[in-house]
Amino acid sequence: MKLLVTGGSHGIGRAIVLQALAAGHEVLAHGRDEAALAELAEAGARTLAGDLLNTEVLARVGSAAEEIGVDSVVASQGVAGDGALNTLTPERIRRVMEVNTASVIRLYDVLKPGLRQRAATFVLIASQASLRPEKYDAAYCASKWAVLQWVQALAALEAHHGVRVRAICPGRTTTALFDDAMAGFAAAAGMPLDAYTEMILELIPLRRFASVEETAGATLFLAEHGPRPTVLAETGGEVPYFTSP
Amino acid sequence: MTVNLTPDVRVGLLGGPSSNLFDGLASEPVDVLVLDTSHPVTDPLTDWVLKPTDLLFARFRGLLKSGAVDPIVVLYLDPAAPSPNHDWPIAEAAFASLQAVVQSLAIEHPRTRATTVRARRDQEEAVRDLVAFLASPAGGYVSVTTIDLRSAA
């Protein structure tokens, strides 16, 4: 594959870049952290730094993807959106929606001609928060529900053009973003972090969080060409997923 | 698009044009927030997803701060008939975002009754009947749910 990973500096995106390189794929890694991208470049990735909320950066990502002939995309950019309603400022709410929802939709629009030409795959990293409401997480839920439903509607339309649009809904995966979110949830619930963590583990049938390598591997499974589900829930059972007739 | 953010107004617009559909809704003891996607817009991502989400959070904040105990209904209106120019993926994103906010905030704030309703723009009678039901004692245990009137018969 010739894979573009946006939001590839850290966390799940970074793990995807590294696993894809190890599997012999060509990778264009986008992110905001130039130092982190430099490490990925040493590992063999092409890199491109910038904020996807900037239209010039978006255009450069599009051009670079076209130049390489990208035939698979993983949109991994995202920001946490946890917090009780009285702590969520309008600015933060908007930022969460811009990064987690709007930037993905705009990215697809920029890449669409090339993706159609190459019958590519486009995988979005949604969340288990796409699958249920969560208290102290309304802004994040809004952004992830929106983008998951967009994927499901778009998948039906773009299939006619040969593009497979898919989403993975990871559960609690150990990354810095997750650590920050857990601290935020614990604070909102008025609990010490270790007690909150213990309570959360009891809710997960597998009684553990996902490793970033697991989630990266599951995402790459969806990114591959070949028949794959439109939505893959990877939640350790914490959030059951089912489809209605 | 005009939006009135004062908590005592019973009908608020999240997006789309005003309408006399709302006159009937405004007399019920229920707060109705409406996103009407039946009219074309040049930037559906902003006008259907980003701005209405911002406004919905602001309205919820206002209603909860005022100690409102009446149920909250977020009404999403589709076009009366399918249109090839309607951006369906973004429309679905918009609906999903509103649902997520309603349900997440309702479980975050106990004893807040909040429901999302989806209907076509021409289903005025069905919408009025449903809103009246949700405002009545018979609808008192309905919350954190989405009611889709599009297939109502």
Side-chain angles (χ1 to χ4, degrees), chain B residues 67-79:
Chain B
V69 295
D70 286 335
I72 299 165
V73 172
V74 175
L75 173 60
Y76 179 96
L77 296 175
D78 284 288

Side-chain angles (χ1 to χ4, degrees), chain A residues 85-163:
Chain A
L85 177 61
N86 61 359
T87 67
L88 290 173
T89 62
E91 293 74 24
R92 179 140 185 255
I93 292 166
R94 178 55 80 98
R95 177 162 173 79
V96 171
M97 294 300 295
E98 284 278 4
V99 176
N100 295 357
T101 307
S103 80
V104 176
I105 294 173
R106 292 181 188 125
L107 174 69
Y108 190 83
D109 283 345
V110 161
L111 298 173
K112 186 163 59 182
L115 297 180
R116 287 181 175 182
Q117 213 172 29
R118 292 182 283 276
T121 62
F122 183 96
V123 178
L124 156 75
I125 298 187
S127 170
Q128 71 178 17
S130 307
L131 305 176
R132 66 177 182 182
E134 297 186 345
K135 68 181 193 181
Y136 311 135
D137 214 17
Y140 190 71
C141 283
S143 72
K144 291 298 185 175
W145 282 45
V147 82
L148 180 64
Q149 293 309 311
W150 173 80
V151 160
Q152 293 190 282
L154 192 69
L157 296 175
E158 288 295 284
H160 297 300
H161 299 282
V163 182

Side-chain angles (χ1 to χ4, degrees), chain B residues 77-90:
Chain B
L77 296 175
D78 284 288
S83 162
N85 299 321
H86 192 72
D87 194 321
W88 285 107
I90 291 186

